[in-house]
Structure formats: structure tokens, C-alpha cells
Amino acid sequence: MASELEPEVQALDRSLLECSAEETARKWLQATDLTREVYQHLAHCVPKIYCRGPNPSPQKEDMLAQHVLLAPMEWYLCGEDPAFGFPKFEQANKPPRLCGRVFKVGEPTYSCRDCAVDPTCVLCMECFLGSLHKDHRYRMTTSGGGGFCDCGDAEAWKVGPCCQKHELSVSQVEEEEDPLEHLSEDVRARTYSLFAIMFRYAVETLTWDKESQLPADLEVAEKSDTYYCMLFNDEVHTYEQVIYTLQKAVNCTQKEAIAFATTVDRDGRRSVRYGDFQYCEQAKSVIVRNTSRQTKPLQVHVMHSSIVAHQNFGLKLLSWLGSIIGYSDGLRRILCQVGLQEGLYGENSSLVDRLMLSDSKLWKGARSVYHQLFMSSLLMDLKYKKLFAVRFAKNYERLQSDYVTDDHDREFSIADLSVQIFTVPSLARMLITEENLLTIIIRTFMDHLRHRDAQGRFQFERYTALQAFKFRRVQSLILDLKYVLISKPTVWSDELRQKFLEGFDAFLELLKCMQGMDPITRQVGQHIEMEPEWEAAFTLQMKLTHVISMMQDWCALDEKVLIEAYKKCLSVLTQCHGGFTDGEQPLTLSICGHSVETIRYCVSQEKVSIHLPVSRLLAGLHVLLSKSEVAYKFPELLPLSELSPPMLIEHPLRCLVLCAQVHAGMWRRNGFSLVNQIYYYHNVKCRREMFDKDIVMLQTGVSMMDPNHFLMILLSRFELYQIFSTPDYGKRFSSEITHKDVVQQNNTLIEEMLYLIIMLVGERFSPGVGQVNATDEIKREIIHQLSIKPMAHSELVKSLPEDENKETGMESVIEAVAHFKKPGLTGRGMYELKPECTKEFNLYFYHFSRAEQSKAEEAQRKLKRQNREDTALPPPVLPPFCPLFASLVNILQSDVMLCVMRTILQWAVEHNGHAWSESMLQRVLHLIGMALQEERQQLESVVEEHVVTFTFTQKMSKPGEPDNSPSILAMLESLQNAPYLQVHKDMIRWILKTFNTIKKIRESSSTSPLAEAEGTIMEESSRDKDKAERKRKAEIARLRREKIMAQMSEMQRHFIDENKELFQQTLELDASASPALDSSPMAADVTLTALGPAQAQVPEQRQFVTCILCQEEQEVTMESRAMVLAAFVQRSTVLSKNRSEASQDPEKYDPLFMHPDLSCGTHTGSCGHIMHAHCWQRYFDSVQAKEQRRQQRLRLHTSYDVENGEFLCPLCECLSNTVIPLLLPPRNIFNRLNFSDQPNLTQWIRTVSQQIKALLVLRKEESTPNIASSKNLENMDELQLPEGFRPDFHPKNPYSESIKEMLTTFGTAVYKVGLKVHPNEEDPRVPVMCWGSCAYTIQSIERILSDEEKPLFGPLPCRLDDCLRSLARFAAAHWTVTPLAVVQGHFGKLFSSLVPNDSYGNLPCILDIDMFHLLVGLVLAFPALHCQDFSGSSLSTGDLHIFHLVTMAHIVQILLTSRTVFPCLPEEDGMDQEHPSGGEEAAVLDLYRTLRQCTGSVLRAAPSGWHLWRSVRAGIMPFLKCSALFFHYLNGIPSPSDIQVSGTSHFEHLCNYLSLPTNLICLFQENSEIMNSLIESWCQNNEVKRYLEGERDAISYPRESNKLIDLPEDYSSLINQASSFSCPKSGGDKSRAPTLCLVCGTLLCSQSYCCQTELEGEDVGACTAHTYSCGSGAGIFLRVRECQVLFLAGKTKGCFYSPPYLDDYGETDQGLRRGNPLHLCQERLQKIQKLWQQHSITEEIGHAQEANQSLAGIDWQHL
Ligand SMILES: [Zn+2]
Ligand SMILES: [Zn+2]
Ligand SMILES: [Zn+2]
Ligand SMILES: [Zn+2]
Ligand SMILES: [Zn+2]
Ligand SMILES: [Zn+2]
Ligand SMILES: [Zn+2]
């Protein structure tokens, strides 16, 4: 920002500091014109405090403002020192009655599903925890900011309105009292005048719209000449555009531009330039020019600095007022009075009005400040809340219009306060009656939708972008309407009735504009050119759904209102139908002697619309007439006689026919928009006020008609009249018309029509239609959902319609119909239908989609087969209709219906050609079944003397009328045995049986009851026969199954027997190895020893493996072609004890010594799949080539990065980045001879030291070749080569070329990944990295096994076993491909860290060496030295001595650092019983004494030997276990069986296996000769001294395993924690995506510009950046707002993982959409932890990305 034009920050006016608040206040007290006095003070001081330079300095400004401006006001207010005054106010004040806590963004809020009046009533966390609702069914959400806690508001809660904290005050404030009474007369007066002035000042400055001129009373003479170029926020331009533009316009860096943009986005404005007018104007014009091209330009103003200053102080003042009124209800009330007092200009001139009305002109920051003040003042004062509500309602239209044209989100608009006002029932009611609010809202809404068609209906087609934008925003008004209606009145006054009905009128006007909108015409010939707009209309419908339902609910509450509403609705519907029958000649239809007239109309040829809200509202009201019995009580008041049933059903019927025709494929050319409309018409979100109501409307109409007439009209609308009215038409039609499509079409239409009839008669589960209650309805929905399959809670919820409170009512009935099955580790909890509920299953349930129907049918048939029942799915027994609808059942026995049934059955009997379908028949059978059920039910419930008029059985046994065709019964009987109807056989049988039953009932009611009994018996016996047959078949099936099972188990037994032999053979093999060991002098008992001269001799086992690529088998040998394992190498911090370690410069870092904090290691993993090296290479080359082609074409991300050597295992798709060669135990190759006479440790150390020295001298010679060769020789004499040491000898590499190549390949990969450097196979660090990876991988596996309390050599997964074996052997063989000198050099250095050698300076002290890494390094480097040693000492002797030496160093390390609080350790392992003797204790005590001596007694005095031994034993265990694993894999020695089982700690067994004495201290005693001097050298190291003197820290042993952080049990406490977390970079701003690192517990501000940092030259988000410091590239996070686990690896890889939090239904809630309380699931957390410990995060991401390609497209690096 440095520019010469930039003026300096103006110097501070000293006089300000000398200001005295008390004095100023006194001056004001004496003033005659207080306003003038205060204004002068402000005019003078404000510009001196605020806006003194280009960048704001808020702290300084606030400090000065408090001192100079606010303090005098506080003095004035209190009349004394505010430090005393305010507490006095507070004391006099009653404790607050309302909580009113204003929510921060992301803060958790709670709503009680049982007690909240509506879902907008919420509690803050504190109140919730102190309320009785915490034990209820509650819902948890995170606040989007704004809104406040409703605790204490009696209107918000049905019960328990207060938490414990706010409870007390309620009883106290029973009597309404004036809060002003607590203030003295003069305080009141002073407050009043001061508040009036200050509030006015704030409003005036904030709403001031001139750019360089101040209000007259704030102008000062000596005005400065500085301006700001102020950039304002809009919702049009993106961050990137703003940042780019700013860099150009004001010449700032990208970072500064980001800061500007962030502030603009947050506060709504930010000055981007400061200086004279010209200078600012210039920036403005650049910005405007640069952003005006595509859209409207960014809003920029050049403003005089003093205006900005006054505005800033104005904001400060409003916050100040907000905090001052917190002291006392009295002060708050005065502020409310001041705010609402009418100003000079009459209506709308109060300060509150002025602010509200200029809302859309204010910037974001200013809006939120004053909105908050309103919430804490006007909405907290019960009296003024009402007055404010009136003001809000009066301004409603203006405010909403402002909002609609503004572009800010609703949460930043004053219009959003409607939720706070309208949801208060008493306020809503008052506003309806006094301000006619319902009408106002609806009219305002309609005003914004002026685009209409010729009939006055809404038209959304050809909306401009602006209209579409307005339409989106105006939808929030529907929400307001919902708020107003949400609480229903219990008492109706006449005014309320009147105003509600007025609102209802307006609402009908709105619906009328929707009735028939978006009409469509069937497209024939060509496909439509453009998909017509349909979404807008459906959006409107969807948003209005709840409002429509609520309108009906209101009507249902009052009989008078219901009657009036019904009349109004009917008259509007009649208007809509105006001209409906005009002109055209009606059509006459007749079948079976019935005839009816109808209009000529064809759905397939004329316009039809899906939108019929007026008809549907009438249908809803009609049901209410029935439900509330108004229809029977006041028939004279109802216009029932005016109803014209054909008119009522006409439009809904057209709509249903449309659906049928679409289904029949007749509307294919109308495109997807129609398909979508049909989908939503039936969808759970809309159907309640669309499809369902159309069915009801038909039921209504039909119940008032002759069913024959109705059916004829139905046939005509379905365009099927011809087929059924003409005898034999069907036959002709199938034979004459060859067009298959038409036949198919008609078949579908017939099916659909029959389905519709089934629905009309069968759907009686809406209260009012049938005699049921709401519970029955919901039960039925659930039963049918669960008939498809078991479902999780959330799935069920989704399939059920929600009411306006987002409740489905499911919880109250679910127990009755379903069992709950708990979730496993990965699944979800499931509900399963109770078996007894299956009898209520209706195959033709009207809410099934086609797919659901067929799934349900299949599932139910399967269930029946399993239960060995017949597979008929007969219609269930239905509840009776309400009287108003009772006549509907007569459809079933009407003549036309019987004719249709007969016709279809006839087709089926004749079975010729394709003119009928099975599903047609199935539906007819279902209808017959329904009729029979109906008749039986009527017979069974008939009261004596009454005649049952439903006589279907009689009619079905009569032959057809005109032509004497066979009766229905006869046809069924003949169909019973039709071979082509196998599937329907059971159903036909069921029908015939039911028919007989009914016949018996009828006969018995006319004759004696005995006959009936007899009849049943006969019936029974035939049923029994049936059953017996079924049983017999089942029995046969069972026997057959059993036989097969028996055969299979026989085979299995055989197999096991064979295997047994095999196993025994191997056992014998082991046993044959043991005797050899017995003969060895060392092992008295059978012991397996993994290393040293006593190493167990294992017979060479040949290993054959198969390549997964070419399927060829091959033996693993030294000479053969290399076989390799796919492997993945990664950096790891899983074991790290020090995450703060800054990463070193990879080029210089020396990894030779691993620090015991294990801060970063290199882990190698493998999926265990084996390939030929050359097969793999060919495979990898092809992957590479493919990837290059692909990237050029579409630059797709893949789950693997080929350029980094990554590929997927060709077999299991596991992410890999290199391969490990398979090898035989490499030691055996070099361990040529076994000499009997081996050096002891002391001798060996001496020899090795000499060898190292000799080599050092030789190296020096070589590196200085310019020195004369004579001198060379001289030196050679000087150095005494140890006996048998031949440094000039270079062994031949025993491996094949291919193996050598793979050794280099893997070594280089480990080096490259581990150090994050470019591959360089010559780098001397390559072997070190290989050894390190071997050591680190073993350590991490040892940790996992210990943590899971698994035995060390228990059954490891194959892939792990193979990986460790190959890794250990590879690392041991790697020296053969490295120059000898390099490895020898490493060995020398490693060796010198324990055995000092003057030539190596600066080696780490033993406290800073991880001993296992050291051991692995020494053992694996040693062959390089040993191969030149011909003295006769064996390689394994060296191994043993190295191991002993390192072990001793580790013991010393443990003792030096043992910080255990010695006394009172918990008893473990029963160690005391194991070691009654104190041999170890005495020895370790002795050793400890030596250590003390060597350290000059700085070491703490010796605690008891017992404690010391304990800590040595505990501390060394991990090391011993790692060593055992290491030597096991290295040398291929089988593990002793004892260690293969879990249980005791296996200390002795380990010692035996590792050739150690169980009393480890003996090692020191046996080798005291050399050890004493070594101990001395270790202890006298300076670092050790510093440590002991407390100057530095060191790792102590055993190291504890790293775990993921502890998470709270209740998820909301995490949300709460995160909501108070603010972005660490943008000063106190709330973070939008707070994200928790599960490894270290750091909270991060993710997915946000503010916290992006640069990493390796790229911008990355906070999470990615954190993975590099915390997890060396991989990370596990919890996105708190989303309740989602995030795995990240590198910059491009990531995936989401299911969180360890479950609700009571055993489901996770990713995205926190459902809001059920969530609780920690330990098992799932453990699972994530295990993935992490096993280094499987990257692999998991790979699999997730392979499975879901869209994951690869996410910009992970910016999270
Ligand atoms: Zn609260
Ligand atoms: Zn409370
Ligand atoms: Zn509750
Ligand atoms: Zn192969
Ligand atoms: Zn694999
Ligand atoms: Zn941030
Ligand atoms: Zn972390």
C-alpha cells in the first residue's frame, strides 16, 4: 500500500487526552440546550478520534471513544461515577425474565419436539441444559446467526417455558409492574434526554447519504480534506473478481486484496484507499470500469473521512446503548420509548421506523448492529414488543419490497425479524385482527408476481433473470404466512373470524391465480423444441403446501369459519369453471342400460394443467365437513345443493388421466419437464395437497353420483369408452388393429383406470373420509413403507409427509408396527415390520411408486413362501367410510363395473392375442376381492333385521345381461386351472373360498346357526386338505435340503481329515528341527533362538509364489528373476511424541540417528500381492501412458498420482507407490561358517573398533590422492590392520540383475518419499532410509499389537506378515547394492555413538537416540564390515554382540530417564509371584549406583531395587518385542509357541528367543570389563548432565502409544466449543467451517480465504497446511458444523468418512440435517483410530475415490 500520494496518519490531538469525562458531564448537566452542547462535543471530537488514516486502528479508536465520548455520557446518565452508578442500577433491577441471548453463527440451539410451540422456538445451550426439555425428544441445530434464546417466553413453550436460571423471576414478575419505578425521577429525565439525543445522532449519521457534506449541526469550521474510497459488499461478484479488481485498482498485494475482500464480505464495506478526493475518485473509476463489464459494477463511494468517522461512532454508540440497557429494565424501556416516539414528520418518523425503512440502504455491519439492538431492546420489553410489532406490520409492505429488490441474504435484512414477531401467538393474533396481517402478507406477495397470462394466472414462462431473482426472494413471504398461521387459535372472536376470512379471501385470490397455470398440450409428431418452465410453479406449490394445510386446520377449528370458507371456496371454484359447459353439444354415453351426458373433452388433445389448488382446497374442506360433522349438523347452512358433482370431478380427473397417459407413453414427446411434474405431483413433498386431494375430490364427487354415471364418464376420460361400450369391441380391437403400440397403450390405460377405481374405493384412511384417526393414517403409511424392506429411521422419515412443525408423527406409532434392530459397526439401525402387520398390506397402496409396488409385491410374496403360506395378496379388511362417503362402495357392484370385470375376465378366458394383460387381470381380481371383503364385513357387522344391500356375491354368480355370457364366478372357476395364470392361482382360489364363506353366512343367517357351523366345518376341512397338501410338499423339500446338507458336511469332514494330516506333517517337520537344537550346548530345554551363534537351524524352505499378472508360478531364489510386492511408502507421524518439530531442510537433513521422539518416520505398507518385477514394470508403464493420454484429454483427477510413481495394485486396487523385492533370509547367504571359538563382547568391540579405525585411515588416504604414495604406505604401516581384516576385499553380489535392480528401485522410493527429495540412488542416505523404514514399520506394528493386547506372534494378517518379512530382508540385502565404503561409514558412525571414537565428533548422546533404530542400523550395516573380516568371527556373533550392546545402552537410557513416581504402582502381571528372589533387584540397584557415580551423583538417589527393576522391565518391553519381530523376519526363525498366544507379558520367552539372560543386568556383570568404561563415557556426556540438572527434557520409557483425542459424549458440546472458536487470522471473526484435528486437537478455520497459506508454492487451506505440520501430509479431521470426518493426504487426496457420532436410531447425521441428538460411539472412534494407527488413511482415501469419482473433483487442498 505504500505510495507517495498516501498521506501520513494524522497526528493525535493531545487535547483529547486531557478531556475529563466528569467535567464534560457537568457542563452538560448545566446546559440549557443539551442537544446543541452534545452535538458540538461530537462534531468536535469524533473526527479527531475516528478515521485518521488509511487503515482503521480499532483498539486505539475504541479506547479514545470510551474516554472522550462515552464516559461523559455514562457520568451524565448516572449522575456520579459510572463505576458506582451502574452496579446500583443493576441491583435495583429484577433478574431478567427472558434469556434473550443472541446467537452467534454456529452456536448450537435446541428445540423441544414435544413442547415447543413451533420449531422456531429455541433455547441456548445453557438454558437447554437447565430445562426439563433435555429429557424430552429434542432437536439440535446450529444457528446461522441472529435470533435469540426463547427461554422464559411463556408463549413459546407448551410446558416448561423457563430453565432453572430464568425460573425464579417468573414467579416474581407475576404482577405486571412498571420497570421505570426502579429509577429515580431525575435519572429517568436524564436518561430520556440523553438517549433521545444519542439515538437520533446514530440514526442520522448512519442513514446520511451525502458523500462530502455533514448534517448541519455536525459541520465544523476546520474540516480536513481527506476522503475514503469505500467499497461495498454485493452478492453478485465473487471473491476472486473482487481480489483481482482491487489489485489492479489500488495497486495492492494479493494478500492485502484478500484482506480487503474478507472485510467487505464480513462487514459489508471497507475503505480501500485514503487520500484527497481526486486520489480516491481515481480508484473508484478503475474499480467501476473493471467490474461493470459482465454485471452491474461493484458499489464504491468516495466519502469524506468525517462522515465515515461519525458513522463509525454511530455504530459504536448503538452497541453502547445495547450494553447500557442491559443494566436495567427501566433503561431499556426508556430506550424503547425514545425509539418508537413519533418524530416531527408524523407517521413513520420515529427513529425505529427510520432505521427500518433505510435498512436496505445500509451496509451489512450497520444492519447487524442495529438489528441486535432491536432484539435486545424492543423484543425484550413485553409492552414495547407489541408496539414494535404494530410498527413492523404497518411497514410490512415497504420492508418486504425493499428486501425483494435488495440483494443481501435474508438474515441481513430487517424483514427477517418477522420470525421473531409473527411466531409469538398473541402478537400474531393481534396483528391479524388489528392490522389485517394475513391479507397484507398475501397481497404483498401477489403484488410481486405481476406477470400473468390472459386468464389472470401466474406465468413463469419467459421470466427475465431479474424476475426470477425477485421470485426467489419473494418466497420468504410465504414463510411469514406460515409463521402467522403456525399457532392455531383456541378462542375465536368475531373480529378474528372476520379478519381470518378476509385473509382467506385473499388466499383464494392467490390460489385462483394458480388454478390451471402452466397448462400443457400433448405433443404429437415432433418432440417439443424447448423444455417448458415448470419448476417455478412447483416451487410455489411446494412452499404453499403447509400454508394450504394450515388454512384448513384453522377452518376446522370453528364451525362458522368452516362453513363460510367452504362457501367462498366453492364460489371461487365456480368462477374458475366459468364457461365450462358453454357452447358445445354434450355427449351422451350409455352402457348396460345406463346413460349420462358429459362434455366433449379429450385429455390427449386439449389443454390440461396439474395445478388445481382451488379444487384441492375445496376437497380438503369437504373432508372437514365430514370429519367435524358440520355436514350433518347444519346441512341447511351449506350450499350442498349447488354442488355439481361432474364439475367437481372434472379437473382432478383430467389430471389423473394425464398421469395415466404419461405412464402409457402417450406424452413421450413432451419431454422431461412433464415427467418431472408428474413425479412431484406424487412425491411426498407435494402429494398431500395435490395427488391425495385429487383422489378425495373424486371420492367426494362420486359419493354424490350414480356410480354407473361416474364410471361411464371415467371410461370416456380415459378414452376407453369405445372398448367397453361396444360388445366384442375388445376382440375386434385386438385382431383388427395391428398397431402394437396402441394396444399396449390401451392396456396400460385400462390398468391405470382399474387402479384408480381401487384407490377410490380403498383409500379411506384420511380422517373424515373413513372412520379412522390420524394415527391409523400414519401407521398405514409406515406399514407400507416397511413392506418394501426394513428401513432406517431417517429413510422412513423421508418417505413420510412432514407437517409444518417438521413432525411426521412417526415416533408415536412406530413401536406398534415395527421392531428396531441395532446397527453394527458400519451399518445403521433398522426398523422391521412386525409379522402381524403384514395382513394390512395393500398391494395397491396409493402412495407406492411403480418400482416400490413391484418391490413390495416381491417381498411380500417371498415372505409368504417362507412362512409356507399361499402367495395370494388379497385386499386387506378396510375401515368403514364416513356417512358422507359411504355410497362409494357401490361402485364395486354397479352394473358398469361388473360389465368391465366381466369383459376383462372374458378376454383372459379366451386368452387370444395381446389385448389383455396379466396386471389388468390382477387388478380385476383385486377389485373382486375388495367387493367380497366389503360384503363379508357388512354381513358380519349387520344389526339384526337390517338387510345388507351390498350383494356382490349374488351379482357375480349371475350370467351377463344382454348376451347371457358366463357369470364372473364361472369364468373364475375356469381360470383357476389355466396354466398361463400360475401366479394368480392362489388369488383366484382365495376369491372362490371367500365367495363360499359369504354364501354360507348368508344361508346361515336365513336358516339355523347349526348349518353355519357345519358350513364352516366343511370349509375348514377343505382348507385343511389344502394345508395338508402344502405341508406334504414342504416336508419333501425339507428332506431334500437335509440330504444335500448331509452330503456337504461329509465332504467337509473329509477335507478336514486331509488337512489334519497335512498339519501333522508340518508339526513333525518342526519337531525334527528341535532335536538338532537339543544337541546344541547352550539350550538345555527346547528353545528357539532368533539370533547369535545359537540361532536355531531352520531347514531351508523353498518358497513358490504366483504372479498376479501373468499367473505364472516361480520359486524365490537369489538367481532368479525378481518377484515383487506392491508397496506403499509414506511419511508418518503416528508414533510422534513431538509434533511441534519444524521440518528440516530435506536436502541437508541427516537421518542416520533417529531421535527417540520419533517425530517423523517412514512407513512401508503392502497389500501383499506378488508380481514379477518385469510384469509390474510393464503394467506400470501402461498405466503411465494411459494417464498421460487421459490428462491431456480431460484433466481428470485420479485417486493416484502417476507422476509420483503411484499406481493401484492390479488385483485389489490398493494405492501403492513402489514395490519390494521378495528375498530369502539374506543372512544365511553370508553366514558362511559357524566357528566354535567366537570372541566375547569385549574382544569383539575392540576388534570392530580397530577395523573402523583402519577403514577411516584408508578413506582419508583415498580422499587425498595428491599426496605422495610413499606417504600412503607410511600410514599403512602406522595403522595396524586387525588380524584377518582385508579392506581390499570386495565380495561378489550374489543376487540376479533383476533383484539388484529392484533393491535399488525400492531403496530409492523410500529415500524419495521419506525425505521428500528427488530420487538419487547414489545419495549415501538411501541405505539409512531403508533401515529406518524397516525399524519404523516394525515399531508401529508392535504398538498396534500391544494396544490391542494381541500376542506378538499371533496370527498376523497375511499382507502384514509378507510386508514385514520382505521389508526386513530387503533392508538387510540393500547394502549389496551400495558402495561398501558408504555402508561402512554409516556403521562406523552408528557404532561410535555407543563406543566412542575420537574420529567422530558431534554424535548425539544416548538420550537422543532411538535404540531400536540404532540396532537395526548396526545389524544391517554390519555385513559390509564383516565381509572383509576373515578372522573367523561369524556374522551371527556380531549380531548378538550388537544386540547386547544396544540392549545395555537402552537399559542405561531407561534408568537415566525413569521418572516414574516410584511408590504405589499398580500391581501388574503378577510379577511378584514370578520373581520371589531379589537377584534382579540387587543387580539393578548395583547398576544404578554405578550410574550415580558416573553422573557425579546428580542422578536421583536410588529408590528400591524392586521399583528400578520394574521400570527397566516395563521400559524395555517394546524394544524387546520389536527386536524379536526384527530377528524373526530377518532370519526366518519360527517364533516360540508361547509368544503366539496372548496372556502374560512373555518377558522370559522373549529373553530366551533373543538370547538374553532373563536377568538383563547380568549382561553388564558378564561384560563389566568394557561396560564400566562405556557407561562412564555415556554418562559423562554433557547433554546427559544438562538433562539431569533439569536444563533439558528427554523421552522416558516406555513411550505411551498415541491415541486420537478424546471426544465429548454429547455432540452439541463440540458444536458449542467450535462456535466460540474464531478465525486465528482475521481478528475475532467467527470461523465458518471450524474443523478439529483428531490427532492433536487443534481447531482450524477450514475452507476459507482468511486462513489459506502458501505451501510449496501453492495456496492451501488450513487443514491441508495443518496436515503437513501435524501428520506429515496425512490428517484426520472432524468438520464440526457438518458432523463429518475428513481424511486428507497430500494436497490432492481426500475423502469424507462417517463420523463416530450416532443418534438414538443408530444413524449418523452428516451435515446435521436431521438434528437428532448425537452421541459418541466409541467403537466407531476406535475404528478410525485403528485406520490411523495402521497407516491406512491414504489407502482408505484411495478406495473411496475409486468408488466415488466425484470425490476426485473436490478441491481438497483448499479445505
Ligand atoms: Zn438462553
Ligand atoms: Zn433460561
Ligand atoms: Zn419439552
Ligand atoms: Zn508375471
Ligand atoms: Zn493388492
Ligand atoms: Zn480463518
Ligand atoms: Zn493436528
Side-chain angles (χ1 to χ4, degrees), residues 571-582:
S571 98
V572 171
L573 184 64
T574 317
Q575 287 170 31
C576 294
H577 285 262
F580 165 80
T581 45
D582 293 357

Side-chain angles (χ1 to χ4, degrees), residues 1224-1475:
L1224 294 173
R1227 295 267 143 172
N1228 299 355
I1229 304 167
F1230 298 96
N1231 212 6
R1232 287 155 299 201
L1233 291 161
N1234 221 343
F1235 299 90
S1236 51
D1237 191 23
Q1238 291 295 314
N1240 68 15
L1241 182 67
T1242 313
Q1243 294 161 341
W1244 182 82
I1245 287 178
R1246 288 208 179 110
T1247 317
V1248 170
S1249 302
Q1250 280 170 356
Q1251 290 173 348
I1252 291 171
K1253 260 188 205 142
L1255 285 173
L1256 274 172
V1257 174
L1258 280 171
R1259 296 288 165 267
K1260 226 181 235 161
E1261 297 303 326
E1262 283 165 16
S1263 61
T1264 50
N1266 49 344
I1267 295 171
S1269 55
S1270 59
K1271 203 175 176 189
N1272 220 334
L1273 281 172
E1274 225 171 275
N1275 267 342
M1276 283 302 237
D1277 287 341
E1278 241 175 74
L1279 104 131
Q1280 294 169 342
L1281 278 183
E1283 195 191 336
F1285 189 54
R1286 287 168 49 193
D1288 50 342
F1289 176 77
H1290 283 268
K1292 187 175 148 288
N1293 191 319
Y1295 292 114
S1296 70
E1297 277 309 313
S1298 142
I1299 292 180
K1300 277 194 285 190
E1301 193 187 326
M1302 286 302 115
L1303 286 172
T1304 312
T1305 300
F1306 182 67
T1308 318
V1310 174
Y1311 163 79
K1312 182 188 88 177
V1313 175
L1315 286 175
K1316 289 215 278 188
V1317 288
H1318 295 295
N1320 170 11
E1321 53 189 71
E1322 317 231 294
D1323 190 302
R1325 292 178 296 178
V1326 173
V1328 176
M1329 292 309 292
C1330 295
W1331 306 331
S1333 182
C1334 173
Y1336 190 84
T1337 307
I1338 290 176
Q1339 277 176 321
S1340 77
I1341 285 169
E1342 186 275 326
R1343 274 298 85 194
I1344 294 170
L1345 294 174
S1346 294
D1347 287 344
E1348 290 175 4
E1349 289 173 356
K1350 285 198 180 141
L1352 190 59
F1353 291 111
L1356 267 190
C1358 248
R1359 53 182 283 191
L1360 257 183
D1361 202 43
D1362 288 345
C1363 174
L1364 283 181
R1365 181 177 301 108
S1366 321
L1367 186 60
R1369 292 179 185 174
F1370 154 79
H1374 187 262
W1375 69 273
T1376 62
V1377 293
T1378 316
L1380 268 191
V1382 168
V1383 185
Q1384 287 168 343
H1386 290 322
F1387 182 82
K1389 214 164 165 190
L1390 289 169
F1391 192 73
S1392 310
S1393 67
L1394 295 184
V1395 182
N1397 176 336
D1398 302 335
S1399 320
Y1400 294 102
N1402 241 345
L1403 293 178
C1405 89
I1406 66 160
L1407 295 182
D1408 294 335
I1409 301 173
D1410 178 66
M1411 288 301 165
F1412 184 63
H1413 271 78
L1414 181 65
L1415 172 73
V1416 171
L1418 281 171
V1419 168
L1420 298 184
F1422 181 56
L1425 189 73
H1426 183 263
C1427 68
Q1428 297 177 330
D1429 179 358
F1430 292 83
S1431 66
S1433 109
S1434 82
L1435 191 57
S1436 50
T1437 306
D1439 287 352
L1440 186 68
H1441 289 322
I1442 291 171
F1443 179 59
H1444 284 176
L1445 179 63
V1446 176
T1447 306
M1448 285 188 280
H1450 193 34
I1451 292 171
V1452 170
Q1453 198 182 21
I1454 293 168
L1455 284 172
L1456 285 176
T1457 56
S1458 83
R1459 251 179 294 162
T1460 339
V1461 185
F1462 284 114
C1464 62
L1465 274 170
E1467 295 300 310
E1468 268 176 42
D1469 304 347
M1471 199 156 80
D1472 295 307
Q1473 289 99 306
E1474 280 178 47
H1475 301 279

Side-chain angles (χ1 to χ4, degrees), residues 1107 1110 1172 1175:
C1107 169
C1110 70
H1172 283 115
C1175 289

Side-chain angles (χ1 to χ4, degrees), residues 657-666 717-720 742-755 920:
V657 171
L658 170 69
C659 296
Q661 291 184 347
V662 169
H663 192 61
M666 293 167 66
R717 290 290 169 270
F718 268 90
E719 296 165 35
L720 295 168
V742 177
V743 175
Q744 184 58 47
Q745 232 166 50
N746 279 319
N747 280 351
T748 311
L749 287 178
I750 295 170
E751 287 162 23
E752 290 293 308
M753 182 197 67
L754 293 170
Y755 191 5
M920 207 186 281

Side-chain angles (χ1 to χ4, degrees), residues 892-908:
L892 293 174
Q893 56 167 352
S894 66
D895 295 336
V896 178
M897 187 75 247
L898 287 163
C899 166
V900 169
M901 287 175 177
R902 205 176 289 126
T903 312
I904 292 171
L905 286 174
Q906 187 65 43
W907 293 344

Side-chain angles (χ1 to χ4, degrees), residues 28 31-43 197 200 217-218:
W28 290 354
T32 45
D33 186 350
L34 180 65
T35 313
R36 219 183 63 130
E37 201 72 34
V38 173
Y39 262 62
Q40 265 175 10
H41 183 67
L42 295 177
I197 296 168
R200 198 194 104 200
D217 36 11
L218 288 175

